[in-house]
Amino acid sequence: MRRTREGWKKIALASTAVFWLAASPAGADNAEREVWRLFVADHTAPVVRAIDLETGTGLGNFDLKGFAALTASASGRTVFAVQTEADMVQAISTGIAVSDHGEHRDVDIKAPEMLPVSFEGRRPVHAVPHDDRMILFFDREGRADVVGEDALLEGKTDIRAVDATAPHHGVAVTMGRHTLVSVPATKAEVKPDELPPRLGLRVLDESGKQVGDVTPCTALHGEALSARLVAFGCEEGVLLARPGGSAGPKLEMLPYGGALPKSKVTTLLGGKSMQFFLGNFGEDKLVVIDPDAEEPYRLVELPTRRVDFALDPARAKNAYILTEDGDLHLLNVLNGSIVGTVRVTEPYSKDGHWRDPRPRLAVAGDVIAITDPRHSLVRIIDIETFSESRTIPVEGMTFAIVAVGGSGIDH
């Protein structure tokens, strides 16, 4: 059979198409994507707003029972809205799931949504993420709930209650099969509307039975995880919990020593890709803590009082500190020096009520997102240039903020 020139051209084009389909790997339509979302709590209304970082568009408003502090889970798949005055914790699915497949990562992107499961208890304050769990502490219950994230995202409850002996402003952290729980001074005299102080930390096994004695940690406040270590702030120093196998974690106090001024750590952040901690040391100082160094504390003096601070999970040496004069500082945690400063907001004084509207910051990939309550904005700071690149207007009075996201192949 004879073919015309046009016929041969059609066959050639079809053959070329078949060749490209055969030569292309399965999933060639899959795109490499990086996606980040901001979740911003309002200072004057019980609502959390989800925002697409790239476009600045709103992805949904989530009504709460009360005003909230926000904590993202370790995976970033959920954000917990801790509503202390409303005796309630609610959870939002971020719609972003990043999974590791060895030679590559996948990113699954959906719309964010409020999850149907909530957690009630008197005066929830601390929410601690660890692996696939979130540990919620209810101060006036004397109880912590260990919440499984997988079940939560399926609209189910997977809760293990941990007895904290008595109501107090406390915290619980899981560590393998054990749980570290603060201990109140139950014999202390307190007013009817007050809670007893913390005097130490105890270790519980899987059955809830205490392992060993209570380890002293006066006025325990602040906790963080770094690598396989957990740290707690105390009057005497920073208490470390190291893995100890089946016998339970090993507890070790790092005393402040005479080289540091009189103060204490009450807020801690833990390094992700390096093992270290960054803690406040009073209002206008920080300490970089190397648990295995001969001198574990490196003091960092700030020009004015600290408003908020954060570690960069991707850039191990970077920490960012916002001070009350409106400046954002870049701290090199390796040598404890401030290597960059930029003015980002008007001054926000630390005087006044602790819950007065002040900026908060979150690291989102290559940028830092900073709320500016007076102007209903989220200010975006480019990390490379350390300067403001744009702003995102947000309805209401922007306050607490968390960022979740990552990169991977979007199937």
Side-chain angles (χ1 to χ4, degrees), residues 83-98:
Q83 301 153 63
T84 301
E85 304 305 324
D87 296 334
M88 170 79 70
V89 180
Q90 292 172 271
I92 300 167
S93 169
T94 65
I96 298 177
V98 180

Side-chain angles (χ1 to χ4, degrees), residues 205-399:
D205 64 16
E206 284 183 290
S207 66
K209 182 180 178 181
Q210 182 172 317
V211 178
D213 298 327
V214 171
T215 300
C217 176
T218 308
L220 184 154
H221 196 279
E223 79 294 320
L225 300 88
S226 180
R228 301 183 66 199
L229 302 186
V230 183
F232 301 87
C234 317
E235 291 273 8
E236 304 89 345
V238 170
L239 182 63
L240 287 180
R242 299 180 183 271
S246 59
K250 304 298 183 184
L251 303 181
E252 170 195 358
M253 180 66 75
L254 297 178
Y256 295 132
L260 293 176
K262 180 66 176 177
S263 195
K264 63 179 179 179
V265 169
T266 59
T267 302
L268 282 162
L269 304 176
K272 301 299 182 186
S273 53
M274 290 195 308
Q275 184 174 275
F276 75 97
F277 297 94
L278 182 65
N280 72 318
F281 205 64
E283 295 274 16
D284 60 355
K285 298 178 182 64
L286 299 173
V287 283
V288 181
I289 306 165
D290 182 347
D292 296 317
E294 183 176 344
E295 175 47 63
Y297 297 101
R298 184 190 295 271
L299 187 68
V300 180
E301 298 200 31
L302 303 174
T304 55
R305 293 177 292 185
R306 167 192 52 86
V307 173
D308 197 15
F309 67 129
L311 293 174
D312 192 322
R315 300 163 183 81
K317 68 178 183 179
N318 282 13
Y320 311 107
I321 307 107
L322 187 66
T323 48
E324 64 179 346
D325 54 5
D327 284 353
L328 178 69
H329 307 277
L330 170 59
L331 173 69
N332 182 332
V333 298
L334 297 180
N335 58 25
S337 62
I338 293 176
V339 294
T341 297
V342 60
R343 175 63 52 87
V344 292
T345 70
E346 301 166 0
Y348 279 85
S349 174
K350 287 293 292 292
D351 293 332
H353 194 275
W354 67 270
R355 201 187 173 279
D356 286 344
R358 300 182 183 92
R360 297 289 185 268
L361 61 88
V363 182
D366 294 330
V367 303
I368 307 162
I370 302 176
T371 57
D372 192 344
R374 289 185 193 140
H375 299 283
S376 298
L377 291 175
V378 174
R379 299 186 180 275
I380 305 301
I381 308 301
D382 182 272
I383 293 174
E384 184 66 26
T385 63
F386 212 57
S387 62
E388 184 178 290
S389 59
R390 59 192 171 100
T391 61
I392 301 175
V394 181
E395 182 184 353
M397 185 175 283
T398 54
F399 193 39

Side-chain angles (χ1 to χ4, degrees), residues 14 20 29 55 123 143 150 168 170 174 193 196 222 243 276 303 332 338 341 388:
W20 279 111
D29 294 334
T55 65
R123 197 170 175 77
R143 184 190 88 237
D150 290 340
H168 66 286
T174 57
D193 60 338
F276 75 97
N332 182 332
I338 293 176
T341 297
E388 184 178 290

Side-chain angles (χ1 to χ4, degrees), residues 126-162:
H126 284 150
V128 178
H130 196 182
D131 295 332
D132 60 349
R133 300 178 294 275
M134 182 71 78
I135 304 93
L136 310 174
F137 198 96
F138 298 89
D139 284 4
R140 293 198 174 275
E141 300 279 348
R143 184 190 88 237
D145 285 348
V146 182
V147 179
E149 186 178 34
D150 290 340
L152 178 63
L153 287 166
E154 295 174 1
K156 304 174 184 177
T157 55
D158 176 15
I159 301 173
R160 176 170 62 87
V162 177

